[in-house]
Amino acid sequence: MEQGKNVVISKNVTLGRNVMIGNNVIIYEDTTIGDNTIIQDNAVIGKQPTRAKNSILPEVKKLAPAKIGSGVTIGTSAIIYADATIADDVFIADLATVRERVTIGEKTIIGRGVAVENDCQIGMKCKLETNCYITAYSLLEDNVFVAPCVVTTNDNYMARTKERLNEFKGVTVKKGGRLGANSTILPGKSIEEDGTVAAGSVVTKDVKKEELVVGIPAKKVRDVSEEQLLRNQY
């Protein structure tokens, strides 16, 4: 193991072979980290969440430890919360945040400044680009592409009235779905297999399989071309 300066490794942390740890890294207790993983300067792994006094989220006294697979890279100043599970060969770039009860599948890329909120499932070979926001309770299946500055949402009531408390719902992006830069996906909406959202669009209803939607509100303009479909990329 290679280790930089001012590293804090709490009790019962399990480290695999050939782990590289940069300066000022904090790894909280009971975290497991696989072989050949790189953790760069100032990263925080296994952090327990802190609940705001007026938060609507249920209070959890202590979450299970974080689990980091083999061949993972965690960038400078990234934060991985407790009860996050990161599969093998995932790349998490600088300043990214992965919250509690999140799973990330093999070979997925989490870009610079990306926020993946609590209770999300991210599949294999996804690409989440710079500064996109994945809201809580969302599901992204395998091979999903999310362009820079995409915003997903989960609260139709925008923090007003108690009825919202039972209706939080993130977004669903099925296998091969693609979200263009600066697009916004409203709560509970689904992007079906190979559905594609053009840059700057606002999705107010579900996007059907293999269709391209454009505009505010987003509407179908045509089917995704054959050469662009996921099944034709291999």
Side-chain angles (χ1 to χ4, degrees):
M1 183 182 75
E2 295 186 29
Q3 179 176 318
K5 298 178 180 179
N6 303 317
V7 172
V8 176
I9 300 177
S10 299
K11 63 182 180 180
N12 299 324
V13 170
T14 301
L15 297 173
R17 296 172 296 176
N18 302 317
V19 173
M20 298 177 62
I21 301 175
N23 301 308
N24 307 312
V25 169
I26 300 174
I27 304 175
Y28 282 92
E29 63 184 47
D30 299 315
T31 298
T32 60
I33 297 173
D35 300 337
N36 304 307
T37 286
I38 299 170
I39 303 172
Q40 297 180 337
D41 299 344
N42 302 309
V44 178
I45 314 295
K47 178 183 184 296
Q48 294 285 332
T50 302
R51 181 179 177 274
K53 290 182 179 179
N54 61 345
S55 174
I56 62 168
L57 295 175
E59 185 172 1
V60 177
K61 292 185 177 180
K62 187 173 182 181
L63 296 176
K67 299 178 181 178
I68 312 297
S70 296
V72 173
T73 297
I74 298 173
T76 297
S77 299
I79 303 175
I80 313 296
Y81 277 67
D83 207 7
T85 301
I86 313 299
D88 296 345
D89 299 318
V90 168
F91 183 91
I92 298 174
D94 301 346
L95 302 171
T97 302
V98 177
R99 289 293 302 266
E100 64 273 16
R101 298 183 298 275
V102 167
T103 61
I104 298 178
E106 293 181 0
K107 299 182 179 179
T108 282
I109 296 172
I110 306 294
R112 179 182 174 89
V114 169
V116 181
E117 293 286 14
N118 55 280
D119 301 280
C120 288
Q121 298 178 51
I122 312 295
M124 299 186 300
K125 297 182 179 178
C126 295
K127 188 174 184 181
L128 281 56
E129 295 201 327
T130 299
N131 290 333
C132 69
Y133 176 78
I134 308 302
T135 193
Y137 313 112
S138 292
L139 168 64
L140 277 58
E141 294 187 352
D142 299 341
N143 297 102
V144 165
F145 174 85
V146 183
C149 301
V150 167
V151 175
T152 60
T153 60
N154 64 13
D155 181 4
N156 274 318
Y157 300 92
M158 294 188 288
R160 300 264 173 92
T161 73
K162 290 184 178 180
E163 60 188 318
R164 80 188 197 278
L165 301 179
N166 296 319
E167 296 191 29
F168 284 120
K169 190 174 182 180
V171 305
T172 298
V173 186
K174 297 290 188 68
K175 186 176 181 180
R178 294 180 292 173
L179 309 180
N182 286 299
S183 59
T184 300
I185 317 300
L186 295 190
K189 299 303 176 279
S190 293
I191 315 299
E192 299 299 320
E193 289 87 350
D194 259 323
T196 302
V197 178
S201 298
V202 177
V203 173
T204 61
K205 62 181 181 179
D206 293 347
V207 176
K208 295 180 181 178
K209 181 178 180 179
E210 298 179 7
E211 72 177 17
L212 170 64
V213 299
V214 178
I216 304 174
K219 297 180 180 179
K220 179 181 178 180
V221 292
R222 60 175 173 85
D223 291 330
V224 176
S225 56
E226 281 290 324
E227 68 270 16
Q228 288 289 323
L229 296 175
L230 183 63
R231 64 174 177 266
N232 295 324
Q233 304 306 307
Y234 300 97

